[in-house]
Amino acid sequence: MKKYRVAIVGATGAVGREMLRCVIQYHFPYESITCLASSRSKGKILEQDGMQFVVEELTTESFNDIDVAFFSAGGSISKEFVPIAVSHGVVCIDNTSYFRMHKDVPLVVPEVNAEDLKWHHGIIANPNCSTIQMVSALKRLDDVFDIQRIVVSTYQACSGAGNAGMQELHDQSLAVLQDQPVEAHVLPAAADAKHYPIAFNCIPQIDLFDPINEGYTKEEMKMVNETQKMYHKPIDINVTCVRVPVLRGHSESIYIETAKPIDLATAKDLLAHSTGVELMDDISHQIYPMPILNVGSPTVYVGRVRKDLNKENALSLWVVADQLMKGAAYNSIDIGLKMIEMNLL
Ligand SMILES: NC(=O)c1ccc[n+]([C@@H]2O[C@H](COP(=O)([O-])OP(=O)(O)OC[C@H]3O[C@@H](n4cnc5c(N)ncnc54)[C@H](OP(=O)(O)O)[C@@H]3O)[C@@H](O)[C@H]2O)c1
């Protein structure tokens, strides 16, 4: 089997660290792994599965001997360095938002729209973390019942704002419990935004407010636009994104309306047999997904599946996934593995 020279850009970050673990533990066939980050991390050692990786500084020369690069160092880094990598013949799988809505860049969750990988031109975009777990959970329901409308509220973990987001929750929680003043420097993770404490709080803003769609944030519009791009249809979607004091793992309360009437047993059966999805739904034993249960897992967990009280064609469900994994690192590596399987890499 062919082996690839892999680069991870942003390897020291919350996502990048999981990318290194996923490349190794999910058996991406690598010949070498080059870990890249900013000059601040140059020389730092990353340990994984008994191996040590010395972090190198990302420069324009970083891609001379690379076949596949997983990018996760922010949109501005992808904007500058992905084209350089592509010009060296590197296939780039980009976890940032920068290329997601570009017309010539496929946006892919393998179990949802792997066919779109066929028209890539060197760049494949990994969707937003909240989008991935939603489209993955709903895929088979859409195939059978034809989803027309989605109303979703998210409960997003602080690690969605990277290492700094997790640190902020940790520091603020300690400060509150020790009766110390609470400082807010990171959330709601949006450049130039006013900051609020997240410890013992919820913040109904993720990213900046969108200048075009009045009242909605950019994070909310990512879920709308990216879902339509991957489902290839103009589905109606209404999103509210909220940051909650959870370290890791996004949760979503999702309501769907479908063209065809929904049979609950069929819906549960579809969810139980969807690729990458696990049905955790036994209310008689209080079994349902929660973010603390599945940290580090690549799976999307679904529970609280119930029909609408009044409509035959509507269903509610609760969807949880470790967004650093399924919503970012694992999906990126899974894209690479799928490309190998499809002879596209
Ligand atoms: N966190 C999530 O749940 C999630 C989910 C989906 C997508 N994403 C996206 O993934 C990207 C990374 O997120 P994260 O949560 O991992 O953030 P993070 O923890 O803050 O990590 C950022 C990474 O980018 C590197 N970096 C920053 N500036 C750089 C520069 N000038 N040159 C080279 N590397 C640089 C950092 O290196 P240093 O350590 O050297 O500073 C670090 O490795 C973002 O675009 C984010 O939107 C995140």
Side-chain angles (χ1 to χ4, degrees):
M1 182 186 231
K2 185 177 172 190
K3 293 197 170 166
Y4 301 85
R5 297 165 299 175
V6 171
I8 300 174
V9 182
T12 52
V15 174
R17 201 58 197 75
E18 288 292 20
M19 282 177 160
L20 177 59
R21 180 168 81 85
C22 286
V23 167
I24 295 166
Q25 293 187 356
Y26 292 92
H27 309 294
F28 190 88
Y30 65 87
E31 182 183 309
S32 59
I33 304 177
T34 303
C35 290
L36 301 163
S38 78
S39 56
R40 295 179 290 274
S41 302
K42 189 177 173 184
K44 191 174 169 181
I45 308 282
L46 300 177
E47 295 197 5
Q48 188 62 54
D49 289 58
M51 291 175 274
Q52 293 196 330
F53 300 87
V54 182
V55 178
E56 298 174 24
E57 181 182 354
L58 173 67
T59 70
T60 52
E61 307 301 310
S62 297
F63 301 98
N64 293 347
D65 299 307
I66 299 296
D67 303 307
V68 186
F70 296 99
F71 274 80
S72 191
S76 60
I77 299 295
S78 288
K79 179 184 178 186
E80 182 179 350
F81 287 93
V82 165
I84 295 171
V86 170
S87 74
H88 283 82
V90 178
V91 171
C92 296
I93 300 173
D94 183 32
N95 187 53
T96 77
S97 60
Y98 187 73
F99 290 102
R100 286 181 194 150
M101 294 311 293
H102 285 213
K103 281 200 170 57
D104 59 347
V105 174
L107 179 70
V108 175
V109 175
E111 66 272 20
V112 172
N113 62 329
E115 286 295 298
D116 286 337
L117 290 168
K118 288 181 179 166
W119 51 266
H120 84 86
H121 304 287
I123 309 171
I124 299 95
N126 192 74
N128 174 267
C129 44
S130 310
T131 313
I132 292 179
Q133 67 187 71
M134 182 173 80
V135 295
S136 180
L138 298 182
K139 166 70 177 139
R140 297 284 286 125
L141 297 177
D142 182 49
D143 289 344
V144 173
F145 298 117
D146 189 7
I147 296 173
Q148 302 290 300
R149 182 159 197 260
I150 302 172
V151 180
V152 52
S153 295
T154 69
Y155 305 68
Q156 296 184 218
C158 292
S159 51
N163 287 331
M166 281 191 279
Q167 192 64 48
E168 179 111 313
L169 174 58
H170 184 265
D171 293 348
Q172 289 176 354
S173 300
L174 264 183
V176 172
L177 294 172
Q178 294 174 348
D179 212 12
Q180 299 293 315
V182 172
E183 293 180 18
H185 302 292
V186 178
L187 300 168
D192 303 327
K194 182 175 171 183
H195 296 125
Y196 294 112
I198 187 61
F200 303 94
N201 193 20
C202 295
I203 304 176
Q205 179 190 353
I206 297 180
D207 208 334
L208 291 171
F209 282 95
D210 188 59
I212 302 164
N213 298 283
E214 193 184 347
Y216 291 87
T217 63
K218 290 187 173 184
E219 180 84 352
E220 289 159 355
M221 293 314 300
K222 283 177 204 165
M223 289 186 74
V224 174
N225 297 328
E226 294 176 16
T227 302
Q228 291 173 344
K229 179 168 177 176
M230 283 183 285
Y231 276 8
H232 303 289
K233 66 179 190 181
I235 193 165
D236 288 346
I237 310 173
N238 186 299
V239 187
T240 305
C241 288
V242 181
R243 187 76 69 192
V244 296
V246 167
L247 269 177
R248 201 165 150 161
H250 290 354
S251 304
E252 297 177 351
S253 168
I254 302 176
Y255 166 87
I256 58 170
E257 288 181 0
T258 54
K260 297 177 189 157
I262 294 175
D263 171 65
L264 184 61
T266 305
K268 286 193 179 187
D269 191 54
L270 288 167
L271 289 164
H273 297 96
S274 296
T275 306
V277 174
E278 186 175 321
L279 185 63
M280 259 183 103
D281 195 15
D282 179 2
I283 51 172
S284 66
H285 294 95
Q286 285 180 264
I287 302 293
Y288 34 70
M290 293 184 280
I292 55 167
L293 294 180
N294 300 299
V295 169
S297 165
T299 302
V300 175
Y301 296 89
V302 183
R304 298 292 320 276
V305 184
R306 60 208 186 274
K307 281 193 69 167
D308 187 71
L309 289 175
N310 306 104
K311 292 190 175 192
E312 274 305 299
N313 63 335
L315 191 81
S316 290
L317 50 162
W318 174 249
V319 176
V320 178
D322 180 345
Q323 94 291 345
L324 290 177
M325 284 290 289
K326 181 60 187 176
Y330 178 76
N331 196 66
S332 295
I333 279 47
D334 201 26
I335 287 171
L337 289 169
K338 182 55 91 175
M339 291 178 75
I340 294 171
E341 186 189 313
M342 293 170 73
N343 290 320
L344 296 170
L345 197 62

